[in-house]
Amino acid sequence: MAPRPRRSISSPEDEVLTRSVSITDTLRSSILAGEFKPGERIYEVNLSEQLDVSRTPIREALKVLAGEGLLDYIPNRGYHVREYSVDDIVQAYEIRAALEGLAAKRAAQLGMSAEERAIVEAALRDGEALLNKSRLSSEDRNQYGIINTAIHSAIHAAGQSRMLRDMLRQSQQIAPSSHRNVIAFELSDVRRRHDDHHRIYEAILCRDGGRAELLMRDHVESIKISLLRSISRDLLPR
Amino acid sequence: MAPRPRRSISSPEDEVLTRSVSITDTLRSSILAGEFKPGERIYEVNLSEQLDVSRTPIREALKVLAGEGLLDYIPNRGYHVREYSVDDIVQAYEIRAALEGLAAKRAAQLGMSAEERAIVEAALRDGEALLNKSRLSSEDRNQYGIINTAIHSAIHAAGQSRMLRDMLRQSQQIAPSSHRNVIAFELSDVRRRHDDHHRIYEAILCRDGGRAELLMRDHVESIKISLLRSISRDLLPR
DNA sequence: CCTTGTCAAAATGTATGCATCTTTGGTTGA
DNA sequence: TCAACCAAAGATGCATACATTTTGACAAGG
């Protein structure tokens, strides 16, 4: 096999690239994009041929992804794509609600930096503009997803806890599309969520940790409810 | 190197043993026991010589432990034992409080199985007997630790959520001894904690999820407080 | 028909050699 | 003197060969 090319000198601030790390990223995206069937067995040799590397970096990537909960591993019996039942996803939302609540409380207690505030305020404004429309296109919904992520990420950052951030990432990283986790929100739902964001941010600015936590918990719990509602609608069609 | 011995046929229900897995366990214990200095660099070759295996299973073990948050990893620059500041530990308690609260709530909502109830009730009785004494020996404290773990583990199990259990484990698995995290509890503290356990269990039996959550959160938060108190006492001696 | 045993193919586990990167210490040049 | 620069040593990354385990097919026996 050809030797690994030297990293270019001119790139100023690049991520370190080892095969193992980039393969980990590739596989993670594939799994989260639902490109593997839930429960599907993952064969090292397959992947190593597909990705044109030896089994070594593949094995390391699989170990990492198993640690992240994306794969199940049984010694001598390989890896399987982890299956998430509806109940698993509901549990993940409950966990996320508890953790996001804590993050919001900490953000309120510790205060948000100027940059963090700027990000949230810009996102709130953008959301305002977007939700003025009388109907949301698919692209609009996508756009709101980005806004939503910006707000939550800023609050996570303000929580100033690496462990908390790590766990939040894990609780959100649950193969979403594989279970059509994309909840069909009504426009009114989105507006309500956006209003939640406003209130949560206000509570944080007021340094009211208790209120920020309560609001955030309910905010996330309500997504869980929507999920349950949309599922029960699917199961009992009208 | 000598070939790996076949697994014995007679052992009925043994854990699967690969070098990689058992080394992972060994290293995890060592780290948690504080046998490495915080921040210390971990060299693959060192370990492979000490443990008399090749670098391959070592590398896999290190990947897993990094995933568990016990090690920091930088590509091409190896692994370091993760350092936990006092603040990190406090954050871990906050996370644990949120998660244990959720576990207690779920246990109340879902109910505890007969076995789980038996475990808790036995532990509560044992605690009763232990705390009757007027003074606790070091062995007694140790014993109460086991009782405490039994109660909490039973509640975790009753929560019926793998993700929740995994995260709880992670939030508790923070090199305790390396930071003399062993809080010097007064006997009255321990009695109070034991009383907490009684009330929490009652709330769970009554299927009062809200109360169970509240009590459990406060229960864990109070340990955080004790930690902070004992630290500030250390820093300002009298 | 189901069970059990055997064996070969296939998959994972481990050791090892080489490639690449980091680090370190000394050297050179301003 | 100090900084930039090499070169060698040391450490990690990756490929590969071989060892071990699992699995599935097939045959023999109940």
Side-chain angles (χ1 to χ4, degrees), chain A:
Chain A
M1 174 148 305
R4 176 165 42 151
R6 274 167 193 267
R7 206 188 323 161
S8 93
I9 306 172
S10 55
S11 53
E13 197 226 291
D14 48 0
E15 295 290 311
V16 186
L17 271 200
T18 64
R19 279 166 171 67
S20 172
V21 169
S22 62
I23 287 174
T24 305
D25 291 342
T26 304
L27 283 180
R28 186 188 297 107
S29 309
S30 298
I31 295 172
L32 291 177
E35 292 173 21
F36 296 91
K37 292 197 206 99
E40 179 177 345
R41 169 95 179 254
I42 302 280
Y43 293 100
E44 300 174 359
V45 201
N46 273 3
L47 285 180
S48 80
E49 287 168 359
Q50 277 179 235
L51 301 178
D52 194 42
V53 294
S54 81
R55 280 173 52 219
T56 310
I58 300 279
R59 284 174 64 80
E60 305 200 332
L62 294 178
K63 273 265 182 313
V64 170
L65 295 175
E68 292 180 8
L70 262 37
L71 299 176
D72 275 323
Y73 167 67
I74 306 177
N76 283 321
R77 300 192 181 181
Y79 297 85
H80 292 258
V81 177
R82 183 151 163 203
E83 293 193 74
Y84 285 101
S85 65
V86 172
D87 193 46
D88 287 328
I89 295 176
V90 170
Q91 288 164 25
Y93 273 110
E94 292 182 0
I95 292 170
R96 198 188 142 200
L99 295 178
E100 292 259 14
L102 176 56
K105 178 164 82 174
R106 288 181 56 92
Q109 290 169 340
L110 300 170
M112 294 184 83
S113 71
E115 298 122 280
E116 286 158 359
R117 273 177 287 147
I119 291 175
V120 173
E121 285 164 20
L124 287 175
R125 271 197 307 276
D126 291 351
E128 224 65 61
L130 199 63
L131 297 182
N132 252 345
K133 305 188 180 182
S134 57
R135 231 183 69 72
L136 291 190
S137 69
S138 157
E139 169 56 24
D140 289 338
R141 289 170 190 281
N142 201 25
Q143 193 62 37
Y144 193 79
I146 296 174
I147 290 173
N148 183 62
T149 301
I151 295 173
H152 284 273
S153 297
I155 295 176
H156 299 174
Q160 295 189 45
S161 169
R162 173 175 162 184
M163 183 180 265
L164 184 50
R165 267 200 309 278
D166 288 346
M167 289 198 175
L168 273 165
R169 182 153 29 80
Q170 225 178 309
S171 72
Q172 292 179 82
Q173 173 180 285
I174 280 199
S177 56
S178 70
H179 270 282
R180 73 167 61 75
N181 193 6
V182 215
I183 311 166
F185 288 128
E186 311 289 335
L187 175 53
S188 62
D189 279 340
V190 185
R191 288 219 173 96
R192 169 62 199 267
R193 299 256 148 67
H194 193 62
D195 194 56
D196 286 350
H197 289 155
H198 272 291
R199 292 198 199 185
I200 291 167
Y201 182 55
E202 274 171 28
I204 291 176
L205 283 187
C206 298
R207 316 304 281 281
D208 187 340
R211 181 171 159 80
E213 173 168 27
L214 215 65
L215 289 174
M216 181 62 97
R217 281 183 65 155
D218 187 67
H219 175 66
V220 179
E221 286 278 346
S222 84
I223 303 178
K224 182 186 89 175
I225 305 288
S226 296
L227 172 65
L228 285 172
R229 200 178 52 202
S230 84
I231 286 171
S232 68
R233 217 186 351 240
D234 277 3
L235 294 184
L236 315 169
R238 201 59 43 109

Side-chain angles (χ1 to χ4, degrees), chain B residues 1 18-20 53-54 56-57 76:
Chain B
M1 174 149 302
T18 64
R19 280 163 169 69
S20 172
V53 295
S54 80
T56 309
N76 284 321

Side-chain angles (χ1 to χ4, degrees), chain B residues 38-57:
Chain B
E40 179 177 345
R41 169 93 179 256
I42 302 278
Y43 294 100
E44 299 174 359
V45 201
N46 273 4
L47 284 180
S48 81
E49 288 168 359
Q50 278 180 236
L51 301 178
D52 194 42
V53 295
S54 80
R55 280 173 52 220
T56 309

